[in-house]
Amino acid sequence: MSDLFDDPVPGENSPEFSVTELSGAIKRVIEGEFGHVRIRGEVGRVSMPRSGHVYLDLKDDRSVISGVIWKGVAGRLATKPEEGMEVIATGRITTFGGQSKYQIVIEDIRPAGMGALMAMLEKRKAALQAEGLFDPARKKKLPYLPEIIGVVTSPSGAVIRDILHRLRDRFPRKVLIWPVAVQGAACAPEVAKAIRGFNAMTPGGALPRPDLLIVARGGGSIEDLWGFNEEVVARAAAASEIPLISAVGHETDTTLIDFVSDLRAPTPTAAAEHAVPVRMELLSWVGDAQARLSHALTSRLDRNGQRLRDLARALPRPEALLDSPRQRFDAQSDRLPAALIRSVQVRRVALSDVAGSLRPSLLRRAIEGERRRLSVLGPRLAPALSRSTLNRRTGLEALSARLTPRPIRSEVAQQHRALADLTRRLSEAQVRRIDEAKARLDGLDRLRETLGHRATLARGYAIVRGDDKVITSTAAAADAAGLEIEFSDGRFKIGGAGTKTKRSKPKPPEQGSLF
């Protein structure tokens, strides 16, 4: 190393180094002395920055050494280092002059035996269970007969052939296969990607989304099945919206995906059996159900028919049901004409009595008197209203001219216009009231004429009198000394012996009552 030393200062025998020279010399000594080593220890702090490199500490009960796993090596590792895991790391010792420390560049890292793997597995299992991913309440029900089944497995193994063979025997369904590596470093990311990929498909699309997923792998050691123990696979299975069956390993093998899946099958063949029913058994059950349904319907129809026949025998004949209503109808029909005639006679007599008590002459005189009074008041009302309005307007104008200041005369003029409009409306209202009263009187007069006996006589009726009384029966007519029949155009007298007398002229309506 003499080529690294500067010339000695006169009087001193210690060479001088730069910091970089000394750091490089130490680096060459350490790397040359140790080279590749294997270290057993516990993983301490683990850091995974965005660069993809992994920085960690390896420690025992007394010492700590820093370690680094470059990005290319970290992607190929079968087991990701976790804090607290006991591992065996293989790499080379080097120094990092920027921080004056030595470290190991790890090229391979593995758990230190089965105990370490199981401890790490239990730790992951406890963490996922604490998050509720193993809760039975969140598990989804499997579809009874899925149309499409998605299978995540290796396309070249015996597992896919077993699944397809069992599906074909039980109930053939459409199968979509997502090929993945089922062991090694690529297993976990590819399985998680396949589960997420199936869930991302569009239902009913060109490549429709499956109704059921099966994640399957044959048996193997715990190292071979370790990819299904990775946290990324367990979380992908837990987040799947499609019901998922895990069939990893044999019946005695257990992985984390078994706990988060909706159903665990002991073998891939058993997963296919859980996925679909047996077609022949289903057809047999449908046939039995159809036979039972047909028998039940036939029995029900027979019972109902027998009950209907029993009830029909207890019912009377339709003709007998109509006999009594038909008889009542005939009786009412016979009574109806006589009842109508009596009703007309009673109403006619009542109308004659009312018409006789109306005193047409008195009503006519009252109506004429009211009409004359309204005719006299009508022409006088309009001039009186006009004079009153003019006087009030003149007085208001004079008063407003004396009392109202000039700025508010416009308001007074507006009040004058309102008063004029009110006067006009009042006059029109009075005229309307007079017209309405006249129309009401005319209506009453027409009603009087309609209800009077003259209008009744004009329709073909007649009034029979005898002994100055109205005759309403044949007995009264026989006892009367003479009869007088009044028609619409006059009266006709009949003597007591039944001889006819000449017709008398009709009396004027002002002579008094009909009776």
Side-chain angles (χ1 to χ4, degrees):
M1 294 188 295
S2 60
D3 56 338
L4 299 177
F5 301 154
D6 293 336
D7 295 335
V9 178
E12 295 184 3
N13 58 0
S14 299
E16 293 181 356
F17 299 94
S18 67
V19 175
T20 302
E21 290 173 345
L22 184 57
S23 178
I26 296 173
K27 181 180 181 70
R28 286 192 294 273
V29 170
I30 291 177
E31 289 182 353
E33 182 67 24
F34 291 97
H36 279 77
V37 295
R38 298 179 70 220
I39 302 176
R40 183 187 184 102
E42 180 183 342
V43 178
R45 175 189 56 86
V46 179
S47 175
M48 297 181 182
R50 297 178 60 182
S51 62
H53 309 313
V54 180
Y55 299 95
L56 53 85
D57 291 337
L58 294 176
K59 61 183 180 178
D60 57 15
D61 57 345
R62 289 180 294 180
S63 302
V64 179
I65 183 173
S66 299
V68 58
I69 306 174
W70 303 125
K71 178 180 179 180
V73 178
R76 298 193 304 268
L77 291 178
T79 304
K80 302 296 182 182
E82 296 181 8
E83 187 174 352
M85 183 192 306
E86 187 177 3
V87 296
I88 297 176
T90 303
R92 54 188 179 84
I93 301 296
T94 184
T95 62
F96 179 49
Q99 294 183 357
S100 298
K101 68 177 184 179
Y102 63 93
Q103 61 186 8
I104 178 173
V105 179
I106 299 174
E107 298 174 355
D108 185 31
I109 186 169
R110 302 188 179 206
M114 290 290 295
L117 285 177
M118 296 307 296
M120 183 174 59
L121 179 61
E122 290 299 325
K123 181 179 178 182
R124 288 180 183 173
K125 181 178 177 181
L128 296 178
Q129 187 173 9
E131 294 181 21
L133 298 185
F134 300 167
D135 188 1
R138 58 169 300 279
K139 296 184 182 297
K140 296 174 285 295
K141 185 179 179 180
L142 302 184
Y144 180 72
L145 186 61
E147 290 292 332
I148 301 173
I149 300 174
V151 180
V152 179
T153 188
S154 172
S156 59
V159 170
I160 186 61
R161 291 194 295 272
D162 294 341
I163 292 176
L164 294 177
H165 178 71
R166 185 49 59 96
L167 291 176
R168 185 168 54 251
D169 289 344
R170 291 175 66 85
F171 206 120
R173 296 282 86 185
K174 295 179 181 179
V175 178
L176 295 179
I177 301 174
W178 195 300
V180 296
V182 292
Q183 69 181 49
C187 173
E190 289 185 6
V191 171
K193 182 179 179 182
I195 296 174
R196 290 192 292 266
F198 273 132
N199 280 269
M201 291 182 177
T202 304
L207 191 62
R209 190 173 77 168
D211 303 314
L212 179 66
L213 294 183
I214 298 177
V215 179
R217 188 205 186 281
S221 63
I222 187 172
E223 290 83 1
D224 295 337
L225 304 179
W226 191 256
F228 298 92
N229 286 321
E230 294 292 345
E231 185 176 350
V232 63
V233 175
R235 292 191 179 277
S240 174
E241 297 179 359
I242 305 173
L244 186 143
I245 301 176
S246 66
V248 178
H250 294 301
E251 188 170 358
T252 57
D253 298 323
T254 303
T255 56
L256 282 182
I257 193 174
D258 295 333
F259 296 100
V260 298
S261 62
D262 298 302
L263 178 68
R264 177 188 180 269
T267 61
T269 303
E273 294 175 355
H274 286 294
V276 295
V278 179
R279 184 172 181 271
M280 297 307 298
E281 293 179 358
L282 186 60
L283 291 176
S284 176
W285 180 86
V286 171
D288 294 341
Q290 183 176 4
R292 291 197 303 270
L293 180 61
S294 300
H295 178 70
L297 288 175
T298 303
S299 301
R300 183 65 179 270
L301 290 175
D302 292 342
R303 288 195 302 271
N304 289 345
Q306 184 61 41
R307 180 173 177 79
L308 182 60
R309 288 189 293 271
D310 295 341
L311 293 175
R313 285 194 295 269
L315 291 175
R317 293 180 298 104
E319 296 80 4
L321 292 175
L322 294 177
D323 287 344
S324 179
R326 187 182 292 115
Q327 187 175 0
R328 287 198 303 271
F329 177 74
D330 292 340
Q332 297 295 337
S333 299
D334 294 339
R335 296 172 57 189
L336 182 60
L340 289 175
I341 293 172
R342 282 198 303 273
S343 177
V344 170
Q345 291 176 350
V346 171
R347 292 178 184 274
R348 184 182 298 165
V349 171
L351 181 62
S352 300
D353 294 342
V354 173
S357 63
L358 285 177
R359 305 292 296 275
S361 59
L362 295 178
L363 286 175
R364 186 180 295 109
R365 283 196 296 272
I367 291 172
E368 290 296 334
E370 289 294 329
R371 184 180 287 114
R372 286 194 299 271
R373 188 173 68 83
L374 290 175
S375 300
V376 173
L377 292 177
R380 294 170 57 189
L381 180 61
L385 288 174
S386 300
R387 286 195 301 273
S388 176
T389 303
L390 181 61
N391 293 337
R392 291 184 180 184
R393 183 182 301 169
T394 304
L396 287 174
E397 289 176 352
L399 182 62
S400 63
R402 294 194 305 269
L403 300 178
T404 306
R406 186 178 299 273
I408 61 173
R409 287 182 182 179
S410 60
E411 183 178 357
V412 175
Q414 183 178 1
Q415 295 293 334
H416 287 171
R417 288 192 295 272
L419 179 61
D421 181 65
L422 181 61
T423 303
R424 177 182 58 78
R425 291 167 57 192
L426 180 60
S427 178
E428 294 176 353
Q430 290 294 339
V431 172
R432 284 196 302 272
R433 290 286 299 275
I434 293 172
D435 293 340
E436 291 174 359
K438 289 180 179 180
R440 191 160 55 250
L441 286 174
D442 292 340
L444 291 174
D445 192 19
R446 288 193 297 272
L447 179 62
R448 178 189 62 77
E449 292 292 341
T450 301
L451 298 178
H453 74 284
R454 296 290 180 186
T456 306
L457 294 177
R459 292 196 294 270
Y461 295 93
I463 302 174
V464 181
R465 295 185 179 87
D467 300 334
D468 295 330
K469 295 185 296 182
V470 177
I471 302 300
T472 60
S473 63
T474 56
D479 296 338
L483 299 177
E484 184 184 48
I485 303 175
E486 182 178 357
F487 297 96
S488 62
D489 57 348
R491 298 185 180 187
F492 185 79
K493 291 184 178 182
I494 301 176
T499 60
K500 297 181 181 179
T501 61
K502 65 178 180 179
R503 182 175 62 186
S504 62
K505 294 182 181 180
K507 295 180 181 180
E510 291 80 11
Q511 290 183 359
S513 172
L514 294 174
F515 307 101

